[in-house]
Structures are given as structure tokens and as C-alpha cells.
Amino acid sequence: MKFWSRPLTFLIIIIYLIIQQVNSSPPSLSIPEHFLRCLDTQPSDHGSPNSRTAVIPTNSSFSTNLMNGVRNLRFASVSTRKPEAIIAAVTETHIRATISCCKLLNLELRIRSGGHDYEGFSYTSPVPFVILDMYNLNKIDINMKDETVWIQSGASLGQLYYNIASKSKVHAFPAGVCPKVGAGGHFSGGGFGNLMRKYGLSIDHIIDAQIMDANGKVYRNRQAMGEDVFWAIRGGGGGSYGVILAWKIKLVRVPEKVTVFKLERTVREGAVDLVHKWQQVAPVIDRDLFIRLEIKPINRKISKGKTIKVSFIGMFLGLPERLLNITKQSFPELHLTKEDCMVKKWIESSVFWANYPEKAPIELLLKRVSTNEYYWKRTSDFVQAPISKQGLAKIFQTMIDHSPLPRRVWMQWNPWGGKMAEIASDATAFVHRGGNVFMIEHFMNWYRPGDELEEKFLAIARSFKEAMAPFVSKNPREAFFNYRDVDIGITTPGYNATYEGAKIYGDSYFKGNYLRLVKIKARFDRTNFFRSQQGIPVLA
């Protein structure tokens, strides 16, 4: 019988030859390798490969590059999806190449300036993604003649403050008290801090910006991008519209010397009465004075059990003599004394508010990488009517009940009023202006890994926030966009986020400004390239 009359033998030989051919072929490239190759097909700076700015999971430095910008260890677990690549851009060319290759390979883009996104959206995603790290784009150009600054998105607030102080003793900028926070995300979400009652938010002093769109086009000023886009990126989150390259800000004036203080009172020392009075005073007192509350459960010193300690942390644009006159007239129950007051330069007050040790050098403000990060959940609320003494007592007891010490829920209460009440809710995309007494930031921290432990503490945080519902804003329950909270609602991954689907969080963050943000998005980023689980969607 001839060989060709044996079809089974022939088939076996053919299959064997195919297998040999496959085994002898080079292995297919992984997504990260494809991405690196793609980067080098894009236009580059002076012939230098774009891939030199990138690391992928097989690089020894990948983990360090990733973790340097992870502020919440909840999103550093083994089960958390890792990026296909991290691009530490140095020039606009690197950003443009990154955008182009993400589009070609259908990868989501995450833009990280400081890494402080409360839900890790700047460095995590449920689908394959790439991190564009703005860390190296941190140039700060100060022009004291017109009191303006161009600051790139990768610069930190600490770098900004330090550079301002190197030029002037009587200039500052109204922004947050955490020096490691990146300017890119902080400003685009609003940017509030201890100068807000005097000067408003960061975005109220942003006078220009530069942004790159999904096609790699750079708009060098607000006229080029359009006033509607400029409006949207001031409070609506720049990451939904493009890559914010830089901001132009207007500095504000401060005295050469300011006064700070921190007083602590327990329930036994009258904390309930003091907090009740604080609600009536803090939003309407002299706008040079900002008094934050920190409310924490602690162990009693004498008897067993827990109690509440309230810290009154103050920032005053002036000297103690005038401060004491104000508090004696408007808040005598606080019993603030000259001995409680610390006189500092404005830059030194930034060190105080960052919780660095007393007399710590101002150079600490330049530190950008933390070594003591932990696990946490943080959310926000707005209070629009003072809470009664009975309500405060109930809140304090609920805090104790929800605090398995040494872990605990705790809160910061930040007073509104002053300049904040004078700016219209649609002047920028940040909507939470007049009508608010104060904003709450909720905290839940823990210090060991584990899924069960995480679920336990997240459940405690959610339960406490639910218990706060009677005391805060309603219909919608408002929230601060820069304090992201996935429990409000999210959209599914991909391009298909809809106006109605995103409305659940859009209303909480932006209220009446939400629809306008969506319409601007539809014109400027029609394909919804810049997206996340809580991004601004297109209309259709």
C-alpha cells in the first residue's frame, strides 16, 4: 500500500510539522512589550527612544516606580491589577506618544501627579491600563512682578510653597495643607485649605492653563482651549478632559507673621458645648481666622472606656493680640490664651499644618515620597444647618461605638463661609459654595493587610457614614470630588459610560453643574478616551 493511501498517517505527519513550526517561532509579545515597541514608533525628542521613559512589570524598578505614588495600601495588594507600563514623562512628546499607543492598543490611561486619589483611580483600573506619571514635570516659574506662577502638574504643593517663600515673605497660595499632594489633581478638583475663608479655593486664583487632548494637540492658554473647557477643569477634574500640563496661578498676600494654635478638649471638658458654638461662629467669624476641628475617640485617662477628644486647630492671618480680641468677642468659650498661640512665618505655618515636628526645617515640604503609608477609607459630607447638642452627643457616642481602638473612625470639620459664600456655585465647576456651614472628611485607618480585615473596617466606615445621614445634606447627599468615594456609585469600565449611569455620582459631586460638564466633555473628548469609574461621560 502506498504512503498516500494512509490518510491517518499523513494527518499525523502534517500536525507534527505544524507543531514543530509553532515551537520554532519566536514567542508572541506581551502587552507591555507591544506598548514599548509602539512608543518607539512614535515621534521622539532628538531621536531618543520614547521607551526610555517607561518601565514594565519585568523591569526590576517597576515595583518601586509604582509604589512611590501609591498613598493607600488598599490598592497595593497582590490582587490589585497592575499597569502594563508606567511612563515617567519628561516632555510633551512622551505624553503624546503615550496617548497614541494607549489608543492603538486599547489601553486605558491613568494620569498620576501625586497619587492621592482616595480610591486609587490615578494608578489602578479594572481593565488593562497604563500610568502616565507626571512626577518629572514639576517646573515652577514665579514672576513676582505680576504675582503669578506657572506650575507644572507634577509639582507638589510643598514645592510650590517652598518656592513662593524663597521669593517673598508676604505671598502665599490658597491650597491644601498636605505638602505631598500633586498640583495637577488638587487644583482640578477645587483645592481647598486653611486660606479658603479669606481667599476661596485654589481654582478661584487659577488664571490660565495648558492641556493636551486625546489627539495629542496642546492648547497653550484658556483662549485656545475655550472658556468652557477652562471652566470645566477648575473643579470638574482635569482627568476627564485631557492631560493638564500646567496651571497659571495668581498669588495672594499674607502678613509676614501669622498665628497658629491647637487646643484639645474632651467631652468632660465641655467639647459638646464648644463644638455646638463652633458651628455658629466658625463660618461667620473674621475671615482671617480658620478653625478646623478634629474629632477622635480616645481611651479615658482615669476611668475605663472611651471618650471623644476635639482638637481646635487654628490659622490666623495676623498676630496674637488681634486674634485674642476676635476670639474674646466671638468665641470666649474657647478660652484661647496668648500662651496657646504660636507666631510663625507663613511658610513655617505650612510645616505646622503638615503635622511635622515643631521647629522642623521647611525643607521637609520638598519631600515627596512617603515611607509610612497605611490602609484607609476616606469620604466627605456637607453640613448645611448646625447640629443640635443632642445630635452632637449622639454622633460622639456613635463614633465610640464604631471605633474598635486602637483603630477608629474620626472626622475633620472644615468651616465654610467668608469668601466661599460670595462666589456663585456656577462660577467654576466646584458647586459647593454658599449654603454650607462646614465640610466633613471621614477617616478610617488600619495598619495590617488582609481582605477580611479590609472588609471589616470598610463595613465600619460605611455604617458610621450611614449613621451621619440625618445631619448632612440631602437630595443629593453632596460630596467633594477630590474625596472620591466608590460607594456613591461607579460606571462600568470602557467607553460606554452614559449620562444617566454617571448621574448618581455626578449629582453628588457637581449638582447643577453636572450637565454642563457632560456637554463640554462631549465636545472636547468625544470618544471618552479620558475615562475612569467616576469620570465625566459623554452624552451618548
Side-chain angles (χ1 to χ4, degrees), residues 76-95:
S77 66
V78 174
S79 60
T80 302
R81 180 189 287 271
K82 304 300 185 292
E84 306 297 333
I86 303 170
I87 294 80
V90 179
T91 69
E92 292 175 5
T93 301
H94 301 144
I95 299 173

Side-chain angles (χ1 to χ4, degrees), residues 174 190-192 195-206 231 234-235 252 287 416-436 478 511 513 516:
F192 87 95
L195 298 181
M196 63 184 292
R197 298 194 63 254
K198 176 75 171 182
Y199 289 115
L201 305 175
S202 301
I203 53 174
D204 301 322
H205 302 271
I206 291 175
W231 177 88
R234 290 176 297 144
V252 300
R287 62 183 61 189
W416 247 231
K419 187 69 174 179
M420 290 296 290
E422 297 174 356
I423 300 173
S425 61
D426 61 354
T428 64
F430 185 93
V431 74
H432 315 285
R433 300 287 190 167
N436 291 293
E478 298 177 34
K511 295 176 63 180
N513 290 339
R516 183 178 175 186

Side-chain angles (χ1 to χ4, degrees), residues 73 180 367 369-374 447:
L73 294 184
K180 297 184 182 72
K367 183 180 178 182
V369 178
S370 299
T371 56
N372 58 343
E373 303 295 355
Y374 43 88
Y447 302 91

